[in-house]
Amino acid sequence: MTWRRRQERWMKVAMMAATSLLIGSFFALLTVLVVKGWQAISWSMVVKLPTGGAYFGGEGGILNAIVGSLLLAVGATSLSLLVALPTALLLQPDYAGRKKFAQFLRSLLDGLWGVPSIVYGACGYALLVALGWRACLLGGLIALAFVELPIMVRAMDEALGIVPKAMKEAAYALAFTRYETMRHVVLRQALPSLVTAVLLAFGRGIGDAASVLFTAGYTDNIPRSLFDPVASLPLTVFFLLNTPFEEGQRRAYAAAFVLLVLVLAVNVLARVITKPLSRYIVR
Amino acid sequence: MPRIVVRNLSVYYGSHQALRDVSVEIPDGQITVVLGPSGCGKTTFLRCLNRLIDLTEGAKVTGEVFLDGENILAKDADLLRLRQKVGMLTQKPQVFPMSIYENVAFGAWLKGLRDKKALDELVRQCLQRVHLLEEVRDRLFAPAFQLSVGQQQRLCLARALAVEPEVLLCDEPTSALDPLSAQKVEELFRELKERYTIVLVTHSLRQAKRLADYVLFFYMGELVEHGPAQQVFSEPKEEQTKAFLTGVIG
């Protein structure tokens, strides 16, 4: 029987190794960003717009991109939430009377999930051209919302799917309508996983460069309307890293660090906000 | 005519027939116990009485079930009104992800009762009737799942009573409970039967003997025998009932 014991031990070692690799790479990433960018990180970088030759190691900060990225990601996430939640609810057996339809929709969404974001960018660009608009915040929002949609719907679908069938039946037996059951029982029970779904989509949205490249454009300013171009952090990183100047490249790493901190901050914030609501979840 | 009348009820899951042409009248204000071995159609029968069977994928139901003279299996039957008349208790208590108070109040609130004082009073009354009030008085707004399983089952009963049903359907409501909690729930049924028609599915022959006024015995989807408890237990007419009662089958 000793080989079974050995197997047990080796499995544990393998799992620990894999997990350490993951944790290690996160800290390696953080270290690279800090080491390469620490000289450029400063308060003025976070709170100032770029001035003059910001890309040649000059003045100013990346406030345009920070605000731009938040506008784009928060806006696109809200937009796709409006579409994702009803779609995910429809996918539940309570609504999707025909199972085949739900299965078809799921595989379609999985397909869309795998579509590279530059494709959404290109299609969004074609739409803008057709409408006669220039690259703008609204264009970026729409393209980004489409990037986020499949991931959000599928994650929400999974989240809603784990609510016990018996719990829903208890609600129906009490003469709840489907809407009441979803609204008051299912959504409450699935809340933390739904928040995770939104965060996943937000994470993909705020980090995406390809879809906003042609649709949102780039600017040194903060947009004043939905029809002004808007900057974003991933593109800032891309442009700065492309400069031949060391100072510019340092700022690229600093911008990447800011992006990372932003994502983490939003994650923590969302958890803190939903924590009190998770108190009632039936385990 | 009794409140619940079942005529020629059959249920098919695909090609499998789970209930075969069941016809029976369920006496009002009594505890009717549905007995039989696993897989004999007891739960299926119960789920027809509040049309929860609709939610079972692939189930096809034929026949008629009358509740207060209205055929609830009819396509145009008002499901919400039906389900308000019929409360349900499941094997494993399913509390909602809300506070103890909300669990009881929610059904009534959805029905349109918005007055805070009336709701408070209703919650107090319902919890009192299941003898839970004393145990939870100081933590009404705590999450319901923090209660013990036995308390959760009584909470589910209070929740059902709060929408003022006429009928209570109970699917092995004590089988997940410890003996003491089970005893409390059984006592509740005895207290409640004067005001409600109770249909109780159970595996346990001993529980059936303790509680039953009327007995339905199912075997392989067929209603083999039914009658007053005294008669079925002491002088069963059918061979299968005898075999079940003496422990040869089931």
Side-chain angles (χ1 to χ4, degrees), chain A residues 196-280:
Chain A
T196 305
V198 172
L199 288 176
L200 269 175
F202 177 84
R204 179 157 188 206
I206 201 167
D208 197 63
S211 65
V212 292
L213 185 58
F214 296 112
T215 53
Y218 199 81
T219 171
D220 281 354
N221 299 308
I222 290 169
R224 291 217 191 85
S225 84
L226 281 172
F227 299 100
D228 286 342
V230 59
S232 52
L233 279 167
L235 287 180
T236 305
V237 175
F238 176 68
F239 292 142
L240 284 173
L241 213 50
N242 261 332
T243 64
F245 307 103
E246 213 178 320
E247 175 61 22
Q249 291 177 5
R250 272 203 288 271
R251 292 169 78 98
Y253 286 102
F257 180 75
V258 170
L259 179 56
L260 192 73
V261 170
L262 219 57
V263 172
L264 289 179
V266 169
N267 268 279
V268 170
L269 192 69
R271 292 292 168 205
V272 170
I273 292 172
T274 50
K275 185 93 199 280
L277 298 170
S278 308
R279 219 181 127 220
Y280 293 100

Side-chain angles (χ1 to χ4, degrees), chain A residues 86-114 149-162 168, chain B residues 57:
Chain A
T87 310
L89 286 174
L90 185 71
L91 279 170
Q92 302 315 302
D94 309 78
Y95 284 110
R98 280 174 305 165
K99 218 177 173 182
K100 285 215 173 109
F101 170 70
Q103 269 162 355
F104 166 74
L105 207 56
R106 285 195 181 101
S107 39
L108 187 77
L109 286 164
D110 289 344
L112 284 176
W113 189 338
L149 249 180
I151 194 171
M152 202 191 282
V153 177
R154 285 298 272 124
M156 285 186 161
D157 179 28
E158 297 295 326
L160 297 172
I162 54 169
K168 293 193 266 185
Chain B
E57 207 178 321

Side-chain angles (χ1 to χ4, degrees), chain B residues 27-171:
Chain B
D28 295 341
Q30 296 190 8
I31 300 180
T32 296
V33 165
V34 183
L35 264 181
S38 293
C40 67
K42 304 187 295 281
T43 299
T44 301
F45 177 72
L46 206 67
R47 285 168 69 90
C48 287
L49 301 185
N50 64 352
R51 263 186 70 179
L52 223 49
I53 189 89
D54 289 14
L55 303 177
T56 307
E57 207 178 321
K60 190 174 156 273
V61 185
T62 62
E64 293 167 313
V65 174
F66 290 94
L67 180 72
D68 293 333
E70 184 189 357
N71 180 15
I72 63 171
L73 293 183
K75 278 216 172 68
D76 57 351
D78 184 348
L79 264 190
L80 293 184
R81 215 184 56 203
L82 153 72
R83 286 178 182 160
Q84 267 169 17
K85 290 189 199 171
V86 182
M88 187 185 72
L89 272 191
T90 49
Q91 188 169 1
K92 196 171 156 281
Q94 283 292 342
V95 296
F96 293 146
M98 15 178 122
S99 67
I100 295 170
Y101 179 95
E102 281 180 292
N103 259 279
V104 181
F106 222 100
W109 186 81
L110 285 179
K111 266 173 73 182
L113 184 62
R114 296 293 149 96
D115 180 49
K116 178 84 175 59
K117 267 194 181 145
L119 278 174
D120 287 352
E121 177 58 21
L122 177 75
V123 170
R124 205 191 58 77
Q125 263 178 24
C126 292
L127 288 174
Q128 179 66 55
R129 286 171 69 192
V130 300
H131 307 303
L132 194 58
L133 189 60
E134 289 310 309
E135 292 159 60
V136 301
R137 195 191 283 282
D138 52 347
R139 48 175 173 152
L140 278 177
F141 294 95
F145 80 92
Q146 284 179 356
L147 297 173
S148 74
V149 181
Q151 289 172 325
Q152 285 185 26
Q153 190 64 296
R154 280 184 283 148
L155 180 64
C156 288
L157 186 54
R159 180 175 75 182
L161 297 182
V163 292
E164 292 164 356
E166 302 167 359
V167 179
L168 287 174
L169 307 177
C170 311
D171 192 358

Side-chain angles (χ1 to χ4, degrees), chain B residues 4-41:
Chain B
I4 304 175
V5 177
V6 178
R7 278 200 204 127
N8 307 107
L9 181 67
S10 290
V11 176
Y12 305 82
Y13 298 125
S15 60
H16 171 68
Q17 188 171 3
L19 275 187
R20 296 167 188 274
D21 201 28
V22 173
S23 294
V24 67
E25 299 186 346
I26 301 205
D28 295 341
Q30 296 190 8
I31 300 180
T32 296
V33 165
V34 183
L35 264 181
S38 293
C40 67

